[in-house]
Amino acid sequence: MKVLNLGSLNIDKTYTVDHFAEAGETIQATTYAEFCGGKGLNQSIALAKAGAEVFHAGCVGQDGAALIETLESAGVKTELIRTNHEPSGHAVIQVNHSGQNKIMIFGGANTHIPPGYIDQVLEHFHRGDMLLLQNEISNVSYAIEQAKEKGLTVVFNPSPISSSITHYNLSKTDYFILNEVEGRKLAGTCTEDAREILLELQKKYPNSVFVLTLGDKGSYYADETTVFYQEIFPSDVIDTTGAGDTFTGYFLAGIARGRSAREAMRYASLASSLSVSRPGASPSIPDEEEVCRILAQKEKELQMVH
Ligand code: RIB
């Protein structure tokens, strides 16, 4: 199964701060670094590192060469990426001492993706391949509809969630991968209870599979017949940026490579816990060898306890 990720590519301008700036306040950052990011790019890198055959499609500006090179060096196929006349997308990210972040994105080239380009990209994919989308590019809904018509498995990570999502035809989505905030908004509920969020989502989209991530509270998988919980693997938190993207990439690579949902969730959970223990979004994504080694070690420790 080939994976097509039609997704954003951002230059992440990352600042370490003592506390997040409030309205009207000017603060001094303690460190500054630039990383390659964007939910799309991060998820493609996680997919490739987890062993999937992944093609990234999307747009960068004339200043986007490093974004393409970073994808290539992680093993992502980049020949479908187009360079347009907009500046590349970028993100301004504040990271505080507990590793939490506040992110502002400027879409740039990511928001100038025309339907004609999506048609051309989809010509390279067929029934049984997978299309992954996040909500940082233009024409998401068009891509979902065209891909579904061709028989692709459609995966949507509605992040960042926006009111425009209400106009998308999401009943054609096979998998939703989303966090609590996104889950609540999509389901149209205020409940704090993750199981209730899942139930509401299932009522609205009865044919879809859901992966609901809850940060340091773990995650849930739910399909028509099964619901199960996956705990986190605790780690020292340095920077949570890109943790959800790492989870998404690892989970989908597992599914694309024929792992069971339980196995894929376990791999995804460990990979994202490793990513939060390191700075940056894409540079913090672990490779498969490390994830497998640590997972085997953890399973051995568990067997010794029982
Ligand atoms: O999910 C993290 C990503 O969100 C960052 O890399 C940033 O670019 C924004 O898209």
Side-chain angles (χ1 to χ4, degrees), residues 138-158:
S138 44
N139 288 308
V140 166
S141 190
Y142 180 80
I144 292 176
E145 285 182 20
Q146 299 306 307
K148 200 63 198 168
E149 217 156 86
K150 293 195 73 170
L152 272 68
T153 299
V154 174
V155 182
F156 184 40
N157 167 223

Side-chain angles (χ1 to χ4, degrees), residues 8 10 12 36-39 42 90-91 93 103 105 136 241-242 245 281:
S8 58
N10 289 339
D12 285 355
C36 291
K39 294 181 197 306
N42 299 336
H90 75 260
I93 306 178
I103 304 181
I105 55 169
E136 286 187 336
T241 315
D245 300 329

